[in-house]
Amino acid sequence: IRWTRLWNQKLKRPDLIASIQPFLPDLIQLMNQQKDYEVLLHVLPFLQDLGLPDAVRKMCLQLGLRAAASVPVKSDLTRIAKSLIIDYHDIDAWEVLMHENHEQAKKIIIVLGTDYRAGEDESLDLLLLHGYMRLNLHEDLLKRLVQLGDANLMMEYDHLLTRDYPQELARFYSDHIRSIKEMYGGTIARQKLNNIFSHLKAANLLPAVTENLKKIKTRQLLFLTRTNH
């Protein structure tokens, strides 16, 4: 392997390739420990079509990405990072790509956000939320969070949105609070909502949410009054 790299040749004999492929994950780990990054990058492509378990393949690619970031010529970095991002939604790999190739990192987030609906894959959603945050794509961030309907995730990111989207946040939280009250009611609802109310108070969103809840209740009462008449 080392000889073929030094002489800029490739392993072409199928029998030789077949003989070393089963040992590639162990070889890659050994090369990483020895910091023999150029050789590691040379053998990494032979992982394809091995049918490795996802965890093993991901580990090998992560070591490959570390090697690609450590050598002077980073020609392999984008390719390896994209494999980790697309196949495993690896946020650390996306951060490496963001540092080396901002436009490619942005393009991947935009394409993935367009191609996949919210809620299809949890790890993908977390990658997209992280990407939107880092790229300052706040409108896309808000849209994804609303589509997911997860109040815990919204509380994690809403500090980025309070200035430009206060009404949208108030609407999201008031709808969530109303649904929890309708679903559980009484003590259970209060227990589930304590954390949200504390967060809203700290984020200075509570007045707007309270006002929204009053409007919803007023509309409901008007509807019931008209229905009864």
Side-chain angles (χ1 to χ4, degrees), residues 71-98:
V71 297
V73 180
K74 296 178 171 50
S75 54
D76 294 306
L77 189 146
T78 297
R79 173 179 55 82
I80 299 171
K82 287 173 72 173
S83 293
L84 282 163
I85 296 164
I86 294 170
D87 294 344
Y88 302 107
H89 312 143
D90 191 313
I91 291 175
D92 291 335
W94 185 85
E95 279 290 338
V96 173
L97 183 61
M98 175 79 165

Side-chain angles (χ1 to χ4, degrees), residues 136-191:
N136 294 319
L137 300 174
H138 292 165
E139 184 176 354
D140 293 313
L141 177 63
L142 175 65
K143 182 179 178 181
R144 196 82 179 184
L145 287 166
V146 170
Q147 290 172 343
L148 287 169
D150 187 321
N152 290 321
L153 284 175
M154 183 65 85
M155 287 190 289
E156 184 177 342
Y157 290 100
D158 65 8
H159 65 283
L160 300 168
L161 307 169
T162 50
R163 187 188 67 180
D164 295 327
Y165 303 100
Q167 295 181 351
E168 289 83 352
L169 291 175
R171 188 180 308 118
F172 173 87
Y173 282 117
S174 59
D175 287 344
H176 180 76
I177 290 168
R178 180 174 56 84
S179 66
I180 292 295
K181 286 182 175 180
E182 291 177 353
M183 187 179 299
Y184 298 100
T187 304
I188 296 178
R190 283 196 297 273
Q191 291 172 345

Side-chain angles (χ1 to χ4, degrees), residues 38-223:
E38 290 186 1
V39 178
L40 190 160
L41 291 169
H42 183 71
V43 303
L44 194 65
F46 296 113
L47 285 175
Q48 62 186 11
D49 302 324
L50 268 186
L52 292 172
D54 277 346
V56 176
R57 180 173 179 268
K58 181 180 179 182
M59 178 271 295
C60 291
L61 288 173
Q62 287 173 330
L63 294 179
L65 184 61
R66 181 186 301 174
S70 301
V71 297
V73 180
K74 296 178 171 50
S75 54
D76 294 306
L77 189 146
T78 297
R79 173 179 55 82
I80 299 171
K82 287 173 72 173
S83 293
L84 282 163
I85 296 164
I86 294 170
D87 294 344
Y88 302 107
H89 312 143
D90 191 313
I91 291 175
D92 291 335
W94 185 85
E95 279 290 338
V96 173
L97 183 61
M98 175 79 165
H99 178 73
E100 293 294 334
N101 194 328
H102 181 277
E103 287 306 311
Q104 279 290 325
K106 182 177 181 179
K107 181 179 178 181
I108 286 178
I109 290 297
I110 291 173
V111 170
L112 289 175
T114 302
D115 289 348
Y116 293 93
R117 295 192 305 271
E120 283 191 29
D121 187 298
E122 182 180 359
S123 63
L124 175 59
D125 284 322
L126 294 177
L127 168 65
L128 288 171
L129 293 176
H130 180 83
Y132 292 147
M133 174 189 69
R134 293 281 283 114
L135 294 164
N136 294 319
L137 300 174
H138 292 165
E139 184 176 354
D140 293 313
L141 177 63
L142 175 65
K143 182 179 178 181
R144 196 82 179 184
L145 287 166
V146 170
Q147 290 172 343
L148 287 169
D150 187 321
N152 290 321
L153 284 175
M154 183 65 85
M155 287 190 289
E156 184 177 342
Y157 290 100
D158 65 8
H159 65 283
L160 300 168
L161 307 169
T162 50
R163 187 188 67 180
D164 295 327
Y165 303 100
Q167 295 181 351
E168 289 83 352
L169 291 175
R171 188 180 308 118
F172 173 87
Y173 282 117
S174 59
D175 287 344
H176 180 76
I177 290 168
R178 180 174 56 84
S179 66
I180 292 295
K181 286 182 175 180
E182 291 177 353
M183 187 179 299
Y184 298 100
T187 304
I188 296 178
R190 283 196 297 273
Q191 291 172 345
K192 288 182 174 293
L193 293 172
N194 275 341
N195 186 43
I196 293 178
F197 280 121
S198 297
H199 173 83
L200 294 175
K201 186 175 181 180
N204 200 30
L205 288 168
L206 189 56
V209 173
T210 302
E211 185 63 27
N212 256 26
L213 288 169
K214 288 179 180 177
K215 290 178 180 178
I216 292 171
K217 189 173 183 180
T218 300
R219 287 197 298 267
Q220 289 175 334
L221 289 173
L222 286 173
F223 176 77

